[in-house]
Amino acid sequence: MNQVNQHAVVFAYHDVGVYCLQALLDAGMHIDLVITHEDDPNENIWFGSVAKLCQENHIPYEIVERDQLLKLLPRLIALSPDYIFSFYYRFMIPVELLKVPKLAALNMHGSLLPKYRGRAPVNWAVLHGEVETGATLHVMEAKPDAGDIVDQIAVSIEIHETAHDVFNKVSNAAKRVIERVLPKLMKGEIPRSPNDLSRGNYYGGRKPEDGRIDWSQPAITIYNLIRAVAPPYPGAFTEFQGRVWILSKSSLPLIIETDLSPQVAQILKKSTPGLHLVDNRYFGLCGDGKVLELLSVEVQ
């Protein structure tokens, strides 16, 4: 199949959408239509704009609400694309649309499938203390993140990195995945390997309330929560002195007897788990008796 004849409809948003859409354009894929999201006025918009990229490249695009997606079916049938791509698109694409492309409907997911299927995969990976994640291009089916794997690239998660740091790495890995597999896709060839769902789990979306700190938990668990939801995400939080405090950065877990001064150690040994102000420094005493020094705090 001649690669100049490859046409696609793309559902895209966020940096992953920008990077992967640009990779399609660079490879010569003809983009018939892009579907993207309206920015949420309540969300911190720190990422690139798919709509802006479409405007700059004169690509037709539309913003379609979740309950309006099925109305795209006649238009997609008329376009008869070879591929549908989904790059960080936040709505489930109806199965009726996934059946339209002549070759395949492919989604880019921000984990090493089959691990961390579902929502917020980068945040969940950091929260669980993973040392590796990645980006996976896979075939879309009715069940989310369940189709065959086309290609994937791993990235490391360093112990000091926040979810934002890791997301940037995953976004770049997604671009490399697309660039690596595009020569085959442009020929109509779709590599496929099994996506063994028994080797991973499905995770739901995360809400700001999920950032509430439970100081009875071990220090490493709280440390991972803080970096998993650090800005630009809503942040981990706790109540202290009658107000809500956002905790954006902390030290690694500290041992009271060896890592703290005698004066600080003496006070914390007599304290209950929670946030404490000692010698003009903020410390979190955790359920396992270890301590986090809070390096970035903001009172609301």
Side-chain angles (χ1 to χ4, degrees), residues 253-267:
L254 303 171
I255 298 173
I256 291 180
E257 292 79 5
T258 59
D259 295 331
L260 300 173
S261 69
Q263 295 86 348
V264 172
Q266 184 178 15
I267 293 172

Side-chain angles (χ1 to χ4, degrees), residues 45-188:
I45 306 300
W46 50 270
F47 41 82
S49 169
V50 168
K52 182 179 178 182
L53 180 61
C54 290
Q55 292 165 5
E56 293 170 349
N57 289 273
H58 308 290
I59 300 169
Y61 75 95
E62 290 190 18
I63 295 169
V64 181
E65 296 300 321
R66 187 197 308 262
D67 59 358
Q68 300 296 308
L69 285 172
L70 263 179
K71 294 185 177 181
L72 291 170
L73 184 58
R75 186 172 180 185
L76 265 60
I77 291 174
L79 289 172
S80 187
D82 298 291
Y83 293 101
I84 282 178
F85 290 100
S86 176
F87 301 136
Y88 209 81
Y89 188 73
R90 293 176 172 177
F91 300 153
M92 285 288 293
I93 300 175
V95 174
E96 292 85 348
L97 303 188
L98 300 183
K99 294 177 180 179
V100 170
K102 289 178 280 190
L103 294 175
L106 304 176
N107 175 61
M108 184 66 71
H109 185 71
S111 79
L112 290 177
L113 290 178
K115 298 183 72 174
Y116 293 100
R117 304 189 302 277
R119 303 288 186 180
V122 171
N123 306 80
W124 281 113
V126 174
L127 181 70
H128 289 156
E130 299 284 357
V131 298
E132 182 183 65
T133 189
T136 302
L137 186 69
H138 69 95
V139 177
M140 279 192 282
E141 296 181 351
K143 189 174 182 179
D145 307 324
D148 285 350
I149 293 170
V150 176
D151 197 7
Q152 60 185 186
I153 289 177
V155 299
S156 64
I157 303 178
E158 305 298 334
I159 190 64
H160 63 276
E161 289 181 321
T162 67
H164 181 234
D165 297 326
V166 179
F167 187 87
N168 288 338
K169 293 164 77 170
V170 169
S171 297
N172 282 288
K175 181 174 183 286
R176 298 200 307 275
V177 168
I178 284 290
E179 291 172 339
R180 188 164 75 178
V181 78
L182 263 172
K184 290 185 177 179
L185 298 183
M186 294 296 284
K187 296 175 184 177

Side-chain angles (χ1 to χ4, degrees), residues 3-77:
Q3 66 181 44
V4 300
N5 292 328
Q6 301 302 314
H7 286 245
V9 170
V10 180
F11 294 74
Y13 191 63
H14 219 285
D15 283 343
V16 174
V18 172
Y19 294 169
C20 293
L21 179 57
Q22 185 64 61
L24 295 184
L25 294 171
D26 292 343
M29 184 82 68
H30 187 90
I31 310 299
D32 294 317
L33 176 65
V34 172
I35 306 299
T36 189
H37 296 291
E38 192 81 67
D39 290 334
D40 184 344
N42 299 315
E43 183 177 359
N44 182 11
I45 306 300
W46 50 270
F47 41 82
S49 169
V50 168
K52 182 179 178 182
L53 180 61
C54 290
Q55 292 165 5
E56 293 170 349
N57 289 273
H58 308 290
I59 300 169
Y61 75 95
E62 290 190 18
I63 295 169
V64 181
E65 296 300 321
R66 187 197 308 262
D67 59 358
Q68 300 296 308
L69 285 172
L70 263 179
K71 294 185 177 181
L72 291 170
L73 184 58
R75 186 172 180 185
L76 265 60
I77 291 174

